[in-house]
Amino acid sequence: MFGYITVNSEGLSDQEKARYRTYYCGLCRALHRKYGTLSRLTLSNDMTFLGLTLSSLYEPAELQNAGICPVHPVRKQAYLKSAALDYAADMNILLSWYVNQDHLLDDHSANAGLMIRRLKPYYTELSQRYPDKCKQIEVCLDRIHVLEAQSSVQLDTLCHLSGRILGEVFRWKDDIWGDALRCIGEALGAFIYLVDAMDDFEKDQRRRHFNPLTELHSQPDYFETMRQSLTLIAAQAAEALESLPLEQDIGLIRNVIYSGIWVRYEQLLSASQKKEKKS
Amino acid sequence: MNGDPFQILGVSSQATEDEIKSAYRKLAKKYHPDLNPNSPTAEAKMKEINEAYTEAMRIKKGGGSSGSWYRSQSSDYQYSGFNNWQYDYRPNDASQFQPQFQATYDYISTSRYYDALQMLHQIPDRNALWNYLAALANMGLGNRLTAVNYARSAYQMEPGNAQYRELYEQLSAPARSYQQQGTHYGYPMNSLCSNPFISCIAINLFCNCFRCGRCC
């Protein structure tokens, strides 16, 4: 998956970092428990944030434990177990399935093929458990594929469709918080789509693949335009987030929404500035 | 919901958003269905405080929220984006009004945004007014990112035009309040390259697993 929805560790206390780790490891454990060891490879920061936000909002019963794992064979790592993280694990697998399908379609990647074979039974199970979500996601993905195949640069539409996918993922339950959660997901999905398009730009140029930013990239204020667009999208996520009654881990959650999501953008910006200096 | 939402939550109407959230949390813990299984009273109470919370936050925000950014772009593009506009967006510099601009404006004011864009595409001279109208038409279609970019171009081409400035400021207002709020939580950032959480973000899936060992 993408992993752009992450924390900016510089703004965090040691305690907060440790707390984030219990979610990250908790999601990894949930993946292992529900979907086998290989599923751990799909672990993402994006879905860690989902688990974190849902835990803060719904405050489900949390079990904290510590243990060793293949990655930490000696030192015990603290991790959480909760219904919110279990749901995040489901969504992690579901999104990985779609992302790998995409990779297989785009570059016939062998890794993606392997993952697809591995994830197939889990996808079948999840598509029965979340039929509406899967249907919505697939409708959006199909439309994105059609637009991208036509090399259509309808940036708003592409962002909108990608947003709807994550909107479905964020809306855990159909209750009074469902709309705000969906709204956060929609904004973050659009955000991810744009940052991913920035990230892949050079690769896409080399391979002559479609990239929705081709036109914007040739303009002198490309990074500034992108920052403006991303800021507008992030503002929606923040507004929806601030409307929710979140207290637990609010420092971590705000770190992600106001700072962590910008990490990749800033890296791309400074890489491009360095390149400019050289040439 | 019956009664004053602030009273139900046990806070004054002057309470901050954080105080409202905190009061809600305390009550929600008390009446949580997990702690009160099969209790219709607790269930009713929970419903009441949920509604009180939503209402109190709505009042604090000055009534109504701008809602979802992307929901405004309906799948069939029939959205009319001008319902909430509070100022006259009719261009006031009539001297620039070529017939094609007039036609574009007429389409926009009757919510025929696609026709407006088609008309704009036929105009070779892409001046500030052109960008302004393109911003309005895209706004009507729910293409907010595109709309803001055009609004910015119009403003940059003619910084002295109050109307262009107003449109650009209105469209980019959410971004400004986000940035302002973000300064408390680490936006904008400096020296990010040392951020270990995403040091190997783009490498490959395998990294995801081992990243845990190194940094988080």
Side-chain angles (χ1 to χ4, degrees):
Chain A
M1 229 148 2
F2 302 102
Y4 299 123
I5 311 303
T6 180
V7 286
N8 174 14
S9 60
E10 291 202 355
L12 295 178
S13 66
D14 286 347
Q15 213 179 354
E16 283 174 319
K17 280 181 206 166
R19 176 77 180 164
Y20 185 76
R21 193 190 310 158
T22 60
Y23 279 103
Y24 193 74
C25 293
L27 180 60
C28 190
R29 293 257 174 186
L31 284 168
H32 171 73
R33 182 166 39 84
K34 298 182 84 170
Y35 301 106
T37 302
L38 203 68
S39 303
R40 284 182 154 174
L41 300 178
T42 66
L43 176 64
S44 79
N45 278 308
D46 304 336
M47 290 301 103
T48 307
F49 176 72
L50 175 65
L52 180 69
T53 308
L54 295 179
S55 296
S56 176
L57 181 60
Y58 291 101
E59 298 191 341
E62 270 178 4
L63 227 109
Q64 182 151 353
N65 219 327
I68 52 165
C69 63
V71 186
H72 306 102
V74 181
R75 224 176 100 204
K76 283 187 177 179
Q77 299 291 318
Y79 64 90
L80 288 170
K81 182 171 183 276
S82 77
L85 279 169
D86 280 2
Y87 172 74
D90 291 350
M91 293 300 113
N92 201 97
I93 294 292
L94 199 59
L95 286 177
S96 291
W97 164 264
Y98 291 121
V99 168
N100 279 300
Q101 287 273 7
D102 231 35
H103 285 174
L104 193 64
L105 212 73
D106 283 356
D107 352 288
H108 310 287
S109 136
N111 268 350
L114 195 80
M115 280 315 275
I116 295 257
R117 236 175 304 156
R118 190 74 205 184
L119 294 174
K120 175 93 192 186
Y122 303 133
Y123 165 72
T124 313
E125 182 201 324
L126 288 167
S127 65
Q128 282 161 5
R129 194 134 43 101
Y130 305 104
D132 292 345
K133 282 189 204 300
C134 290
K135 201 173 151 223
Q136 292 277 344
I137 292 172
E138 281 156 27
V139 166
C140 292
L141 281 171
D142 285 347
R143 286 193 55 199
I144 292 173
H145 286 147
V146 169
L147 285 171
E148 291 192 341
Q150 298 167 342
S151 295
S152 165
V153 195
Q154 298 176 25
L155 204 54
D156 281 279
T157 309
L158 288 164
C159 283
H160 166 66
L161 290 167
S162 309
R164 273 175 53 192
I165 294 171
L166 215 59
E168 281 303 316
V169 166
F170 268 63
R171 186 180 51 87
W172 186 12
K173 299 172 181 177
D174 277 319
D175 58 11
I176 58 162
W177 313 125
D179 274 348
L181 284 170
R182 190 209 307 260
C183 194
I184 297 171
E186 281 177 348
L188 292 180
F191 195 95
I192 291 173
Y193 183 81
L194 283 187
V195 178
D196 192 48
M198 289 181 83
D199 215 352
D200 286 348
F201 188 81
E202 277 166 25
K203 197 177 81 190
D204 287 341
Q205 290 297 88
R206 271 202 311 276
R207 298 182 182 179
R208 298 177 190 281
H209 280 184
F210 167 77
N211 187 295
L213 303 177
T214 307
E215 207 175 301
L216 282 173
H217 193 270
S218 57
Q219 290 171 9
D221 54 354
Y222 166 65
F223 272 98
E224 194 42 43
T225 307
M226 290 310 292
R227 183 192 288 280
Q228 286 222 349
S229 297
L230 289 169
T231 309
L232 277 166
I233 295 169
Q236 183 206 319
E239 191 190 325
L241 192 93
E242 298 290 352
S243 78
L244 291 171
L246 305 181
E247 273 201 325
Q248 179 186 300
D249 299 317
I250 186 67
L252 270 177
I253 294 171
R254 282 183 174 145
N255 173 287
V256 173
I257 289 291
Y258 292 99
S259 176
I261 54 172
W262 290 95
V263 168
R264 190 65 193 143
Y265 171 89
E266 296 290 343
Q267 284 181 334
L268 290 169
L269 176 63
S270 77
S272 128
Q273 284 166 343
K274 265 185 207 156
K275 219 170 154 189
E276 239 168 63
K277 262 189 205 160
K278 266 188 193 165
S279 65
Chain B
M1 186 185 59
N2 303 314
D4 175 16
F6 297 99
Q7 214 170 5
I8 293 169
L9 295 170
V11 293
S12 91
S13 57
Q14 307 303 315
T16 62
E17 285 187 18
D18 279 347
E19 285 164 353
I20 294 171
K21 289 178 189 179
S22 180
Y24 169 84
R25 274 290 160 211
K26 278 200 195 96
L27 290 169
K29 273 200 185 90
K30 197 167 151 193
Y31 296 106
H32 199 281
D34 288 354
L35 298 174
N36 304 274
N38 307 322
S39 160
T41 337
E43 202 177 304
K45 192 73 190 165
M46 197 67 210
K47 190 164 177 279
E48 188 185 40
I49 57 172
N50 279 345
E51 285 171 2
Y53 173 81
T54 314
E55 180 63 11
M57 290 296 278
R58 200 185 60 77
I59 294 170
K60 280 286 150 190
K61 287 229 156 39
S65 102
S66 60
S68 168
W69 180 266
Y70 278 101
R71 200 103 34 84
S72 60
Q73 193 190 40
S74 68
S75 47
D76 52 2
Y77 300 101
Q78 294 301 306
Y79 172 74
S80 162
F82 290 103
N83 300 337
N84 311 321
W85 284 42
Q86 282 154 20
Y87 71 95
D88 181 16
Y89 52 87
R90 186 187 160 83
N92 47 21
D93 186 1
S95 66
Q96 287 189 60
F97 250 60
Q98 298 160 11
Q100 281 167 312
F101 282 135
Q102 179 64 53
T104 308
Y105 173 72
D106 289 343
Y107 281 137
I108 289 171
S109 55
T110 50
S111 307
R112 291 171 63 184
Y113 306 115
Y114 264 126
D115 295 328
L117 281 185
Q118 295 266 308
M119 187 55 93
L120 283 170
H121 278 303
Q122 294 167 19
I123 304 176
D125 177 20
R126 304 201 163 173
N127 57 14
L129 178 62
W130 188 94
N131 279 283
Y132 176 75
L133 292 171
L136 292 177
N138 274 292
M139 190 64 204
L141 290 170
N143 295 332
R144 293 211 202 179
L145 299 181
T146 314
V148 179
N149 286 340
Y150 281 129
R152 185 162 59 123
S153 299
Y155 172 52
Q156 281 171 346
M157 284 176 179
E158 271 186 44
N161 186 314
Q163 221 172 4
Y164 299 166
R165 191 188 64 230
E166 206 174 332
L167 179 70
Y168 175 58
E169 280 180 357
Q170 179 166 345
L171 293 185
S172 56
R176 279 195 306 282
S177 71
Y178 168 81
Q179 278 168 326
Q180 216 166 20
Q181 202 153 12
T183 50
H184 306 299
Y185 314 121
Y187 177 95
M189 304 160 295
N190 308 310
S191 64
L192 279 164
C193 295
S194 60
N195 189 330
F197 279 106
I198 77 153
S199 52
C200 53
I201 199 168
I203 301 176
N204 61 29
L205 277 170
F206 286 86
C207 241
N208 249 333
C209 186
F210 298 111
R211 179 167 28 175
C212 210
R214 281 196 284 120
C215 36
C216 53

